[in-house]
Amino acid sequence: MAEPPTSDEPNITYSLSTSRYGNIVCYNQTNETLVGDYSGWQSAKSIETALPFFVMQLLISNLTYGLMYSLTRPLHLPPFVAQILCGLLFSPTVLGRNSIVLEKLFPYRYTMFMETFANLALVYNMFLLGLGMDLRMIRIKQVKPMVIAIVGVVVALLAGSGLYYFPGNGDPDTILAGCLYWSVALSCTNFPDLARILADLKLLRSDMGHTAMSASIITDLCTWVLLVFGNACFNKQGVWNDLMPCALVSTIAFAFFCIYVIHPGIVWAFANTVKGGHVGENHVWFTLVGVVFCALITDAFGVNSITGAFLFGLSIPHDHIIRNMIEEKLHDFLSGFLMPLFYVICGFRVDLDYLLQNTTVGVLVFVISSCFMVKILSTVICSLFLGMPLRDGFAVGALMNTKGTMALVILNAGRDSKVLDVILYTHMTFAFLVMSIVVQPLLTFTYTPNKKLTFYKYRTVQKLKGEEEFRVLTCVHVLGNVPGITNLLHISNPTKKSPLNIYAIHLVELTGRTEASLLIMHDESKPKVNFSDRVRAESEQIAELFEGMEVNSDAVSVQTLTAVSPYATMHEDICTLAQDKQVSLILLPYHKNMTPDGRLGEGNYGHEGVNQNVLRNTPCSVGVLVDRGMTTVRSEASSFNAEITKKEIAMLFIGGRDDREALAYAWRMVGQEMVKLTVMRFVPGRDALVSAGKLSVEYAKEAQVDEECIYEFNFKTMNDSSVTCIEKVVNDGQEVIEAIREMEDNHSYDLYIVGRGYKVETPVTAGLTDWSSNSDLGTIGDTLASLNFTLHASVLVIQQYSAANRRTLENHQEHVKGGAKTANEAKMNSHEEEDDGDEQYQMGMRK
């Protein structure tokens, strides 16, 4: 244990002794607090001397936690790992015995001052934990989570008791109360970190993910019940509490008081004082005062102050906007400013050297590995009886080992009561660290969700027949993306024979401050709660705008939902949803928005990355809309069938798969009074073919298919006065640009539709590819969207789905896991290859 430091203040002397419960420090504060005729709190000397140290301790704690979080986050480790490492850095094993740390940074005489603020932060942290927990996720009819949670808790309690009394695991003179705290800490599961791990692994919407989250909430509630029971049964010295019945009855009565008095009272108060949906600052401050008040009540009952804070958090109406305001005001302040003090306090109590002096490495490894395997084995056994796949049972069991701040709270409660000594406290802390480090990497490498090998025919617009449903997945980041996309969908000609089914998804970036309950959403519905005011209001407005499309049209159906993901993996949500809904087209907004002067702004590079990832991994065709006027397509009338002015649409046909898909989509718009379509086909001249060399051979292969598509289009639209077909012979890219400028001068178009044709060189685009700066739009699309070209027409760039290209990419990105393809996979790939080939020779549009 630590030796007494030599203080640089002669008036302060320490008397330090060691025990199995840590250091016992005695010192005389009389001289320090004596000022004139006043002493103690009357002199204010304590605050005067402690405040500079406290500010410095805050700074050091925050910097340390920030550093640890920055180091662990790229490894996809939960924040709990950074929290433990932050404390371990100041443990006696690392820096805790350093004289500078003991005298200059964390003197013994100011530890109590720091612990006071750390405990206050803990009270509000437990309040936020209750605030973010949605008990509606617990459904009695769902047997699997209930059984897994209850069996897991019971087995963990029994196994924890065995490990607590295991020979060689610490001092043989153990206390029954310590067994309770040790076992309860082992059985707990941290719901917020578990939800975040599932979000990182894209498993939130899976059956396994729903089972794990529901079981986690049930486990958390059982943990709270056991903790309250432990606090009521034993006093501060770990001795049986004679007032236990009184403490339990009082706590149960307070829980009912929260349910039947506080909760309805808060609902009534908000309903009568909140006007126009706006919550004032006074509502927030009264709520925060209520946290302290409830904490004091349960502390007076003898069951710890955090219990009252947690129950008060559960009492706040779950669907009320006050939750969002409190979370915004408290979360960053607590997690990034005050809570690091608590982690440092926990670190002070960990002593690895003392643990190894009293426990062998073999016992240490056995106990830690046993702690980790308890939940896994119990869940796997339950899965056998519940009819779950073993791989899902293993994954849920591993997730049940996710620990968090609650586990440290239980250990510290046992440590404060002197029922857990340094050995047992340190042992379990390192067990929690190992378990938290292992969970996510273990799932990453061992659990791959069973992806539905869904085969569906209509992955492209070109494959759709005249009476097929047109399914579109639209993606928006902000409210400004909506008008352009909705107006584009409006002129997509939905009819009763070929209805338009829209899946509108609002994409929200997952940041470090996003609460766990924000991650949990209903499929095909609005998100639950806990958005910030701005995001929540924006999400509701987006849903209303899309849902308004189907009000007066029998040919349009809309389903809205919200996806919360980091930008790096957001494309996985989009592509998975597109696959599940079997859509033919994904519509994405261009990452640059139009500024008031009609130009495109700098753009959001996170959105650009999402678009690029979707284009590479898409299961169907993709369209990227550069909105520079689609917002004015509709009139001011609000109904879907309102009168609309005639719109000029130009389709530029160069040749190739993407251009055929763009022609198919443009053809779909034909047949409406408000749409006039002009198709400009660029044909290479003799000089272009000669200069192209080998390139002309590749072009000739695609040209045959292009000819068939153009012939079919011309034949079926020859009597349609709203369709104009033009062929233009060009010899290079410069002549293409001049032809487009001439079109724009003669006709003011509202929308250009082009194929992406990325990295596809043709004789007519020679010289343009080198100048293309944006891969999202391709050569022609990038030219049309450039600042020195047209400034008022929108541009829709379309990429056709290609099974061969996607399969090549998947094989390139696939982890090498060995094994052959299943028969289903081979069958699905053969179907896609067949359809991919047929696609080249079919337009298949409505007649």
Side-chain angles (χ1 to χ4, degrees):
M1 305 297 288
E3 296 296 330
T6 57
S7 174
D8 58 349
E9 297 185 31
N11 292 332
I12 304 299
T13 58
Y14 296 110
S15 174
L16 188 146
S17 60
T18 60
S19 72
R20 56 183 288 200
Y21 297 105
N23 293 342
I24 301 176
V25 182
C26 298
Y27 59 95
N28 189 350
Q29 286 189 304
T30 303
N31 293 332
E32 183 186 10
T33 60
L34 184 61
V35 177
D37 296 331
Y38 301 97
S39 63
W41 64 271
Q42 293 177 324
S43 68
K45 182 70 180 299
S46 298
I47 297 178
E48 178 185 344
T49 55
L51 186 60
F53 278 95
F54 176 70
V55 173
M56 180 177 59
Q57 290 164 356
L58 264 181
L59 177 63
I60 294 173
S61 302
N62 279 269
L63 290 177
T64 304
Y65 175 67
L67 175 63
M68 294 301 173
Y69 184 81
S70 301
L71 294 176
T72 56
R73 190 55 189 163
L75 301 176
H76 299 285
L77 297 175
F80 184 60
V81 175
Q83 296 166 9
I84 293 183
L85 292 178
C86 173
L88 290 179
L89 186 63
F90 297 101
S91 67
T93 309
V94 186
L95 299 177
R97 290 192 176 95
N98 186 279
S99 58
I100 296 178
V101 173
L102 288 176
E103 296 178 18
K104 304 295 184 181
L105 302 181
F106 298 98
Y108 285 124
R109 61 188 180 279
Y110 299 131
T111 300
M112 188 64 68
F113 192 88
M114 184 173 67
E115 284 188 354
T116 301
F117 280 91
N119 289 330
L120 179 63
L122 185 62
V123 166
Y124 278 107
N125 191 72
M126 292 297 105
F127 165 70
L128 287 182
L129 181 63
L131 192 72
M133 187 175 293
D134 186 5
L135 298 183
R136 294 176 298 181
M137 287 190 64
I138 303 176
R139 299 175 183 175
I140 305 300
K141 296 181 181 179
Q142 293 181 346
V143 179
K144 292 180 182 179
M146 190 74 68
V147 172
I148 290 173
I150 295 177
V151 172
V153 170
V154 172
V155 173
L157 290 175
L158 297 176
S161 301
L163 294 174
Y164 179 79
Y165 290 107
F166 185 76
N169 185 23
D171 198 304
D173 183 18
T174 53
I175 305 174
L176 177 61
C179 177
L180 176 63
Y181 285 103
W182 170 284
S183 303
V184 173
L186 177 61
S187 67
C188 74
T189 300
N190 188 52
F191 170 73
D193 280 350
L194 183 146
R196 195 168 297 279
I197 290 174
L198 290 173
D200 288 343
L201 298 178
K202 299 299 177 184
L203 297 173
L204 268 178
R205 296 179 182 273
S206 65
D207 292 337
M208 186 277 291
H210 286 298
T211 300
M213 287 189 293
S214 298
S216 174
I217 292 181
I218 298 171
T219 302
D220 271 358
L221 293 179
C222 294
T223 300
W224 274 102
V225 172
L226 293 171
L227 179 61
V228 170
F229 179 78
N231 288 332
C233 290
F234 302 99
N235 59 24
K236 297 296 184 180
Q237 287 74 39
V239 180
W240 185 265
N241 186 8
D242 295 333
L243 298 177
M244 184 269 290
C246 180
L248 283 180
V249 170
S250 301
T251 306
I252 294 173
F254 180 74
F256 281 102
F257 181 79
C258 290
I259 296 173
Y260 295 107
V261 178
I262 294 182
H263 177 76
I266 293 176
V267 172
W268 177 85
F270 287 159
N272 289 274
T273 58
V274 175
K275 298 183 179 180
H278 177 70
V279 178
E281 295 290 333
N282 290 336
H283 294 85
V284 177
W285 300 128
F286 275 114
T287 303
L288 297 182
V289 171
V291 175
V292 178
F293 180 72
C294 291
L296 290 174
I297 291 176
T298 54
D299 190 57
F301 292 160
V303 291
N304 206 311
S305 57
I306 60 174
T307 305
F310 177 77
L311 291 174
F312 187 70
L314 290 176
S315 303
I316 303 296
H318 198 80
D319 293 324
H320 201 278
I321 197 173
I322 189 70
R323 282 178 172 260
N324 313 320
M325 295 189 64
I326 294 174
E327 190 274 336
E328 284 187 343
K329 292 181 180 297
L330 274 185
H331 186 277
D332 289 340
F333 179 73
L334 284 177
S335 62
F337 192 69
L338 284 182
M339 281 304 292
L341 291 175
F342 176 73
Y343 310 143
V344 172
I345 293 293
C346 295
F348 288 165
R349 298 177 171 186
V350 174
D351 194 339
L352 182 60
D353 292 337
Y354 191 74
L355 171 65
L356 294 176
Q357 291 173 10
N358 295 271
T359 305
T360 64
V361 176
V363 173
L364 183 65
V365 173
F366 173 77
V367 172
I368 292 178
S369 58
S370 299
C371 289
F372 184 74
M373 293 303 299
V374 165
K375 288 287 186 77
I376 295 179
L377 292 177
S378 65
T379 307
V380 168
I381 294 174
C382 286
S383 67
L384 295 176
F385 293 95
L386 295 172
M388 291 174 57
L390 286 178
R391 58 198 303 276
D392 285 3
F394 177 84
V396 173
L399 287 168
M400 290 296 101
N401 284 313
T402 306
K403 304 299 180 182
T405 305
M406 187 63 191
L408 293 180
V409 170
I410 298 172
L411 287 183
N412 279 276
R415 186 72 171 76
D416 292 336
S417 300
K418 293 185 179 181
V419 296
L420 290 179
D421 56 20
V422 173
I423 301 172
L424 295 172
Y425 182 91
T426 304
H427 204 161
M428 188 57 83
T429 301
F430 274 93
F432 290 161
L433 177 62
V434 173
M435 293 160 71
S436 300
I437 291 175
V438 170
V439 169
Q440 186 161 344
L442 180 65
L443 289 179
T444 301
F445 290 105
T446 62
Y447 185 85
T448 302
N450 287 323
K451 295 184 178 180
K452 298 178 181 179
L453 301 178
T454 305
F455 166 74
Y456 66 97
K457 187 175 183 180
Y458 304 111
R459 294 177 182 267
T460 67
V461 180
Q462 190 177 345
K463 296 289 291 184
L464 291 173
K465 306 299 181 182
E467 297 183 357
E468 297 294 340
E469 181 184 46
F470 184 28
R471 298 187 177 189
V472 181
L473 174 64
T474 64
C475 306
V476 296
H477 296 278
V478 294
L479 187 61
N481 299 148
V482 179
I485 289 181
T486 54
N487 285 294
L488 175 63
L489 293 171
H490 179 79
I491 60 175
S492 296
N493 197 12
T495 64
K496 290 185 178 180
K497 291 185 177 181
S498 181
L500 181 62
N501 194 343
I502 303 169
Y503 301 95
I505 179 171
H506 180 205
L507 303 173
V508 179
E509 182 188 11
L510 173 65
T511 60
R513 198 177 60 81
T514 310
E515 281 298 297
S517 55
L518 171 58
L519 306 177
I520 304 160
M521 300 164 291
H522 294 298
D523 287 335
E524 303 160 11
S525 68
K526 298 176 185 177
K528 281 189 178 180
V529 287
N530 274 36
F531 282 107
S532 66
D533 294 344
R534 180 187 61 80
V535 176
R536 176 175 178 170
E538 186 175 48
S539 183
E540 292 176 349
Q541 287 180 321
I542 289 172
E544 290 174 0
L545 289 174
F546 276 106
E547 290 167 356
M549 295 183 62
E550 63 179 344
V551 173
N552 297 314
S553 176
D554 296 333
V556 178
S557 62
V558 178
Q559 299 181 43
T560 61
L561 64 144
T562 301
V564 185
S565 300
Y567 283 143
T569 58
M570 192 173 282
H571 66 282
E572 297 179 14
D573 288 336
I574 298 172
C575 295
T576 300
L577 186 62
Q579 180 84 16
D580 292 342
K581 302 304 180 183
Q582 300 186 9
V583 302
S584 301
L585 181 66
I586 299 174
L587 283 180
L588 301 169
Y590 190 49
H591 67 278
K592 295 181 180 180
N593 296 321
M594 188 172 65
T595 57
D597 61 356
R599 297 177 177 270
L600 293 176
E602 291 297 325
N604 186 307
Y605 293 103
H607 299 174
E608 181 183 21
V610 173
N611 290 355
Q612 292 173 352
N613 288 331
V614 171
L615 289 168
R616 286 194 294 265
N617 298 276
T618 177
C620 61
S621 295
V622 180
V624 180
L625 177 63
V626 182
D627 184 13
R628 292 192 304 194
M630 288 301 295
T631 55
T632 61
V633 169
R634 293 189 61 181
S635 66
E636 294 181 359
S638 59
S639 68
F640 189 81
N641 293 324
E643 181 182 354
I644 300 178
T645 58
K646 208 172 192 68
K647 294 303 164 186
E648 298 280 352
I649 299 174
M651 192 275 142
L652 306 181
F653 192 94
I654 302 294
R657 178 187 299 274
D658 294 346
D659 282 50
R660 294 193 291 271
E661 183 75 356
L663 178 61
Y665 187 66
W667 192 355
R668 182 181 176 84
M669 298 178 180
V670 174
Q672 304 176 91
E673 294 182 1
M674 81 286 291
V675 173
K676 184 176 182 181
L677 174 64
T678 300
V679 177
M680 170 71 80
R681 184 190 182 192
F682 296 99
V683 180
R686 182 182 301 272
D687 294 341
L689 294 175
V690 172
S691 61
K694 295 182 179 180
L695 184 62
S696 61
V697 178
E698 297 295 329
Y699 177 77
K701 295 179 181 178
E702 291 286 338
Q704 182 181 357
V705 185
D706 294 339
E707 286 290 346
E708 295 180 7
C709 292
I710 291 294
Y711 175 80
E712 182 183 4
F713 175 78
N714 289 334
F715 180 78
K716 293 182 177 180
T717 60
M718 64 166 67
N719 297 321
D720 193 334
S721 60
S722 65
V723 179
T724 303
C725 297
I726 305 172
E727 281 196 0
K728 183 76 173 179
V729 179
V730 293
N731 290 300
D732 55 25
Q734 183 60 38
E735 292 188 12
V736 172
I737 299 302
E738 292 175 358
I740 297 175
R741 288 187 183 276
E742 184 179 349
M743 288 179 61
E744 184 68 19
D745 293 338
N746 297 333
H747 242 99
S748 180
Y749 292 98
D750 301 291
L751 174 67
Y752 283 94
I753 302 178
V754 299
R756 184 182 180 222
Y758 179 57
K759 290 187 177 181
V760 176
E761 295 188 13
T762 65
V764 300
T765 57
L768 290 180
T769 307
D770 297 336
W771 294 95
S772 180
S773 61
N774 193 296
S775 61
D776 297 10
L777 306 180
T779 303
I780 300 298
D782 184 47
T783 303
L784 291 172
S786 62
L787 291 177
N788 56 359
F789 206 69
T790 180
L791 293 179
H792 71 278
S794 298
V795 181
L796 177 64
V797 180
I798 293 182
Q799 171 186 281
Q800 187 180 67
Y801 168 76
S802 171
N805 292 342
R806 178 185 168 113
R807 189 164 56 256
T808 301
L809 179 68
E810 288 175 346
N811 292 338
H812 177 70
Q813 293 180 336
E814 188 180 37
H815 293 293
V816 180
K817 296 183 179 179
K821 290 183 179 179
T822 63
N824 288 337
E825 288 175 315
K827 183 177 180 181
M828 185 185 71
N829 288 336
S830 66
H831 278 306
E832 288 191 350
E833 288 173 357
E834 181 181 350
D835 288 336
D836 202 27
D838 293 343
E839 221 169 48
Q840 299 179 10
Y841 301 98
Q842 297 180 13
M843 281 298 288
M845 300 306 299
R846 64 181 68 190
K847 299 179 181 180

